[in-house]
Each structure stands twice: as C-alpha cells, then as structure tokens.
Amino acid sequence: MNKEPISLAAALASFTEQWSPRIVTAVNDYDVRIAKVEGEHVWHAHDHTDEFFLVLDGELHIALREPAGERTVVLPKGSVFTVPRGIEHKPYAPVPTALLLLEPTGTLTVGDRHDEVPDHVDATTGHALT
C-alpha cells in the first residue's frame, strides 16, 4: 500500500497504453485502477463481482445486456456507474477518456466470460504504476 499521496494526473501521464489499467492503490481486497480508453472494449461479464466506473475525463458509454433488454448508459466527466455482477457489458469511449475503476484484486479486465479479445484491449488484472 502507498504511504504517500498519489496524483491521479501524474499517474495518468505516466503511461499511454489504451484499455490497459494501472493499479494506483489498494483498499482492503480491492484494486483502485486508472485507465486511458478510446474506442470499443469487448462484450464481457464478471460473474462474481460488480464493476465500478468513475469518469475522470472524457465520456464513457456502457452498453448493457440486462434481463429487460439492451440499453446504453452515458457517463460524462465526473459520473459514476456500477455494472452489477453477471451483467454483460461493453464499454465504449467516443473521445479519449480517463477512468478510475474499483475491482477486487485479481479481477481480469475482460471478465469471466467475453467475446474474442481484439489486439487493442489488454486482458490483464492490472499493471503496477511505475
């Protein structure tokens, strides 16, 4: 765990990769991750955990396949949204976007079930912040 404050702006400036989250700290058994994203992710679901999104900059759209049907939520800068466990979802950023994510340590970015992962999406449990 970090013993000094972390500037999210400096942390975001330390990498350029898209859809490749960095772990900035941990809270109990959860990673606090930041990511730069643009374009489409992949349809996926986390069977055992919710997924929390905070849009730090830009705009994120999340397509959801819910029991009542498909819908898309739009998260402008400063918005939060939690995708419930088991719900298939596909994030999409129409502009360069910065996110903060809260997930249990070891959670794979493409979930437990997913479509084929395109080359621009990093299937990872998060990278250490350097």
Side-chain angles (χ1 to χ4, degrees):
M1 183 157 346
N2 301 311
K3 301 203 186 313
E4 295 296 327
I6 295 170
S7 161
L8 290 180
L12 284 162
S14 73
F15 66 98
T16 58
E17 295 84 5
Q18 299 280 323
W19 300 108
S20 184
R22 299 306 192 266
I23 300 167
V24 291
T25 191
V27 179
N28 298 315
D29 298 329
Y30 280 75
D31 288 339
V32 178
R33 303 175 183 177
I34 55 171
K36 292 179 176 181
V37 301
E38 188 174 9
E40 294 190 353
H41 194 264
V42 62
W43 279 106
H44 68 285
H46 302 276
D47 291 333
H48 306 289
T49 185
D50 301 336
E51 187 170 18
F52 172 86
F53 294 85
L54 164 61
V55 178
L56 300 170
D57 196 27
E59 180 177 281
L60 186 69
H61 299 201
I62 305 174
L64 303 161
R65 291 178 176 155
E66 298 173 310
E70 251 184 61
R71 70 180 177 117
T72 298
V73 294
V74 176
L75 287 71
K77 179 180 177 176
S79 296
V80 299
F81 185 76
T82 301
V83 175
R85 73 187 68 203
I87 297 295
E88 284 187 278
H89 58 287
K90 182 179 185 178
Y92 167 74
V95 297
T97 298
L99 303 175
L100 184 140
L101 307 154
L102 184 64
E103 299 178 295
T105 299
T107 299
L108 196 59
T109 56
V110 294
D112 302 301
R113 296 177 281 119
H114 56 80
D115 286 349
E116 185 174 337
V117 180
D119 290 341
H120 71 277
V121 172
D122 185 10
T124 180
T125 56
H127 299 282
L129 192 60
T130 55

